[in-house]
Amino acid sequence: MISCNDLAVPLEENVFECVIKWVKHDLDQRKDFLPELMEHVRLSLLASRPDVLNIVVEEPLLKNSPKCKDYVFEALRFNLLKSVQYFTIPKTIRCKPRHFGDSQKVILMFNRSDTSPKCYTEWYDPATKLRNIAPGLNDCRKTAGSCVISDQFVFIMGGVNESSSKSVNMLDVSSQSPSWVPMVDMLVSRNRLGVGVLGDFIYAVGGGNFKNAVNSVEVFDVSIQKWTLVSSMSIKRYDLGVGVLNNRLYAVGGAGDGNIVRSVEYYDPALDTWTTVAEMSGNRKGVSVGVMDGVMYAIGGFCDGKHLKRVEVYRPSDGVWSSVADMNLCRNRPGVSVLDGLLYVFGGETESSFVDTLETYNPNTNTWTLERLSRNEVQIYGGVVVNRPPHFIN
């Protein structure tokens, strides 16, 4: 094992030297993995050491790799333009300082295997690609709704064993021995519902199936541990997406009364009213929603017998939906999380199989990057961003 313990030099210089030593140690077997490794080296942050950047530019291992050359160019451009007034810092891991301690985030992913009736969870660190086993669930919650409060308290509700349920469970990720504990039941049994969070209030929206969809909405006040019904949506919806934007709760697409819809409406908690806004470009149920930088993304879904890879965005300032780049794969009911300026979409269903891949959307380049998690017969069906748990193994 090659050790890099010279703390007298800046961290990024130290890391870069480790990378080169590691690759040269066994060049033939390891050089193919250099681009994947260099993706996580903050070359852009070596501004105080132009001599080191010069070594990077001249390093043959990097020169001979097109992807690594892109990372070097990114670092050079970053240091050339960073003083320009209107230069926007790229939202990539290579342009952000490293953070240590409780401020780091990971994704808690909800998984299901064909070989087990239960569902299980994993901690996933996008920065290091590490996955750790997380506390398991007693039942399959594939069609449940999930959310997180204060990046610490994870709630999962309804959808027990693909049937409607009032059941709610909670996980405190900060606990030294975390486990799922039962919480106060919802007032209405729900399945394939949408869930959104406004402050310390959790909203359970719609749900049901093609025979019995509902338009009711209820809110859980975390401070007093109580559910209360609020105004219902204008139509019944299940398999809908829910997003929170500008202190409003948006219900996106879904199906009800036998029809898949493209309509969108938002709830104003101050007025206890629902208001219809612009429709999406097409009907879709199983659509997932992510909100990033004041923009709401409608992702994937299902309509007319087809699983969708389509993605469109809604900006309240424009009041219309517009298309962005399609995902690499079609996904029905995928999980969606936002972390460090990137949109993570994972799992879901396709026409023929479960999807155990993850895609990352960069809004600056309007591009998707596909990552395979190398697991068989596993479906990822949800996930939330949380504080790194104290027991996460690096």
Side-chain angles (χ1 to χ4, degrees):
M1 177 69 67
I2 296 174
S3 176
C4 288
N5 296 317
D6 183 4
L7 300 181
V9 297
L11 176 61
E12 297 309 329
E13 178 182 346
N14 195 299
V15 171
F16 172 70
E17 290 179 351
C18 276
V19 170
I20 298 303
K21 289 179 181 178
W22 178 80
V23 175
K24 288 182 175 179
H25 179 68
D26 195 350
L27 182 60
D28 290 337
Q29 294 185 22
R30 300 188 177 187
K31 64 181 180 181
D32 292 339
F33 297 98
L34 183 57
E36 184 177 346
L37 191 60
M38 289 301 297
E39 180 183 0
H40 301 283
V41 177
R42 272 75 162 177
L43 291 178
S44 299
L45 305 185
L46 288 173
S48 62
R49 295 300 303 271
D51 55 322
V52 177
L53 274 178
N54 185 59
I55 295 173
V56 171
V57 171
E58 297 300 327
E59 172 56 51
L61 284 170
L62 303 183
K63 280 185 174 182
N64 295 329
S65 168
K67 191 65 176 177
C68 289
K69 286 172 68 176
D70 289 343
Y71 295 148
V72 173
F73 176 77
E74 176 188 69
L76 293 174
R77 181 176 181 273
F78 180 92
N79 283 281
L80 180 65
L81 297 178
K82 66 178 182 175
S83 61
V84 177
Q85 181 179 0
Y86 299 107
F87 175 60
T88 301
I89 296 176
K91 293 181 178 179
T92 71
I93 190 172
R94 297 174 300 283
C95 299
K96 293 178 176 292
R98 297 177 188 269
H99 297 284
F100 300 92
D102 294 339
S103 63
Q104 289 182 298
K105 309 292 183 184
V106 297
I107 298 174
L108 176 64
M109 295 195 304
F110 299 97
N111 306 325
R112 175 180 178 268
S113 171
D114 276 349
T115 60
S116 172
K118 296 183 179 181
C119 292
Y120 66 97
T121 58
E122 280 185 316
W123 311 111
Y124 173 72
D125 185 349
T128 62
K129 311 299 184 186
L130 290 176
R131 303 200 305 271
N132 286 182
I133 296 297
L137 294 157
N138 291 328
D139 301 294
C140 177
R141 304 300 286 262
K142 172 187 170 186
T143 56
S146 61
C147 67
V148 61
I149 296 286
S150 302
D151 296 331
Q152 177 181 342
F153 303 100
V154 182
F155 289 79
I156 191 164
M157 57 204 72
V160 174
N161 299 322
E162 302 191 39
S163 298
S164 291
S165 172
K166 298 179 181 179
S167 169
V168 181
N169 289 88
M170 189 268 289
L171 175 73
D172 180 357
V173 303
S174 68
S175 172
Q176 291 293 334
S177 301
S179 62
W180 292 93
V181 297
M183 298 294 289
V184 179
D185 284 351
M186 294 183 291
L187 302 175
V188 177
S189 290
R190 301 181 188 273
N191 188 33
R192 299 180 181 270
L193 66 156
V195 176
V197 174
L198 282 166
D200 288 334
F201 296 89
I202 300 171
Y203 289 81
V205 184
N209 54 45
F210 69 98
K211 292 182 179 179
N212 186 26
V214 300
N215 64 347
S216 66
V217 181
E218 56 189 293
V219 58
F220 182 67
D221 186 336
V222 175
S223 64
I224 61 174
Q225 303 282 293
K226 181 179 179 181
W227 289 95
T228 305
L229 286 167
V230 296
S231 291
S232 297
M233 294 180 290
S234 63
I235 63 171
K236 298 176 180 179
R237 301 177 192 262
Y238 74 93
D239 268 350
L240 70 156
V242 168
V244 173
L245 190 58
N246 297 337
N247 205 40
R248 292 171 173 174
L249 188 82
Y250 286 80
V252 180
D257 291 332
N259 299 314
I260 299 175
V261 301
R262 68 180 68 187
S263 65
V264 181
E265 56 187 312
Y266 73 79
Y267 176 74
D268 187 333
L271 302 176
D272 190 28
T273 57
W274 286 90
T275 302
T276 301
V277 295
E279 295 181 335
M280 294 182 292
S281 63
N283 301 343
R284 43 178 161 167
K285 68 174 184 176
V287 58
S288 295
V289 171
V291 176
M292 180 170 60
D293 297 332
V295 177
M296 183 164 61
Y297 294 77
I299 303 161
F302 178 89
C303 189
D304 296 331
K306 297 179 180 179
H307 294 70
L308 307 174
K309 63 174 69 174
R310 186 169 73 244
V311 182
E312 50 191 311
V313 300
Y314 178 80
R315 295 177 175 84
S317 58
D318 301 332
V320 296
W321 290 88
S322 57
S323 296
V324 296
D326 287 349
M327 293 182 290
N328 291 282
L329 299 177
C330 298
R331 299 173 188 269
N332 179 32
R333 303 185 74 247
V336 176
S337 292
V338 174
L339 183 60
D340 291 336
L342 299 174
L343 190 70
Y344 290 85
V345 179
F346 32 85
E349 300 174 356
T350 68
E351 289 89 344
S352 58
S353 64
F354 295 136
V355 181
D356 64 349
T357 58
L358 179 151
E359 297 193 47
T360 307
Y361 178 74
N362 186 333
N364 294 326
T365 59
N366 189 31
T367 57
W368 290 90
T369 301
L370 180 66
E371 175 187 347
R372 297 193 178 277
L373 299 180
S374 301
R375 297 177 300 182
N376 296 321
E377 299 181 345
V378 171
Q379 179 190 8
I380 310 169
Y381 62 88
V384 293
V385 174
V386 297
N387 293 330
R388 179 185 293 270
H391 45 278
F392 188 93
I393 301 174
N394 290 299

